[in-house]
């Protein structure tokens, strides 16, 4: 059986080799998220208690989407508070917003509760983005939960907001 698998692997590798040379792929223009004010909606896709107690947050799957406005900085930098819940203080531990891909790892603290970890994974065009936000809490007391939300943002113009995030 191992011989057959090795033979198939070798055949697949040789099939990838060809004397024909393909033209080089066209250089795709790098996509950046344009700075400005964005209208953002968030919809809860799934929500569950992870410690079998009442979750220490409002909201549940199926609730109407919420909306907010936020400014995206020059260079496509997305501030951590764009994805934060009210009152949370977040920092980005890893951030990748380039070439149409968006990936942010956020570590947040919620006063009186503890740690909220979030991972935003999505894509963007020059004037919009969509991301799945996975949230897991690690509170000092009860109320831990896991939640998945879909965030969509659409550029609506130059940033007229005085702060980076307005509910």
């Amino acid at each position: 059986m191992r011989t057959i698998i090795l033979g198939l692997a070798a055949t697949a590798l040789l099939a990838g080799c060809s004397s024909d040379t393909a033209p080089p792929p066209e250089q795709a223009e790098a996509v950046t998220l344009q700075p400005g004010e964005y209208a953002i909606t968030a919809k809860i896709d799934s929500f569950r208690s992870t410690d079998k107690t009442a979750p220490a947050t409002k909201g549940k799957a199926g609730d109407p989407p919420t909306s907010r406005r936020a400014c995206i900085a020059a260079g496509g930098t997305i501030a951590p508070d764009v994805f934060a819940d009210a009152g949370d203080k977040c920092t980005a531990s890893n951030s990748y917003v380039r070439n149409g891909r968006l990936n942010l790892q956020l570590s947040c603290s919620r006063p009186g509760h503890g740690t909220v970890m979030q991972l935003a994974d999505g894509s963007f065009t020059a004037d919009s983005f969509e991301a799945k936000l996975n949230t897991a809490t690690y509170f000092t007391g009860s109320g831990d939960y896991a939640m998945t939300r879909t965030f969509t943002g659409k550029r609506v113009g130059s940033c007229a907001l005085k702060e980076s995030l307005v509910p």
Side-chain angles (χ1 to χ4, degrees):
M1 183 65 161
R2 189 167 69 174
T3 305
I4 293 172
I5 292 172
L6 289 173
L8 289 173
T11 303
L13 286 173
L14 289 175
C17 299
S18 172
S19 60
D20 296 337
T21 57
E26 298 212 11
Q27 295 295 324
E29 201 172 304
V31 178
T32 58
L33 192 58
Q34 296 301 305
E37 184 177 344
Y38 283 71
I40 301 168
T41 60
K43 178 179 77 79
I44 300 174
D45 300 321
S46 67
F47 185 85
R48 65 182 175 83
S49 170
T50 57
D51 65 359
K52 310 286 190 243
T53 65
T57 192
K58 296 177 183 176
K60 61 185 181 307
D63 280 353
T66 59
S67 62
R68 60 176 80 174
R69 298 263 176 145
C71 290
I72 303 296
T77 302
I78 300 175
D81 58 355
V82 168
F83 297 109
D85 290 328
D88 288 358
K89 301 293 180 206
C90 300
T91 58
S93 55
N94 285 311
S95 177
Y96 181 88
V97 183
R98 290 191 293 276
N99 300 323
R101 292 291 312 148
L102 169 128
N103 190 283
L104 297 161
Q105 215 173 16
L106 306 173
S107 178
C108 307
S109 66
R110 183 167 299 164
H113 290 286
T115 304
V116 179
M117 299 300 294
Q118 300 193 89
L119 176 63
D121 184 40
S123 60
F124 66 89
T125 64
D127 64 352
S128 66
F129 68 87
E130 181 171 346
K132 288 285 186 184
L133 184 73
N134 292 302
T135 302
T137 62
Y138 303 93
F139 295 150
T140 55
S142 61
D144 283 323
Y145 61 89
M147 177 171 48
T148 302
R149 292 178 280 182
T150 299
F151 276 72
T152 56
K154 179 77 177 154
R155 188 175 187 277
V156 293
S158 297
C159 198
L161 300 173
K162 292 184 186 219
E163 295 181 19
S164 66
L165 179 68
V166 174

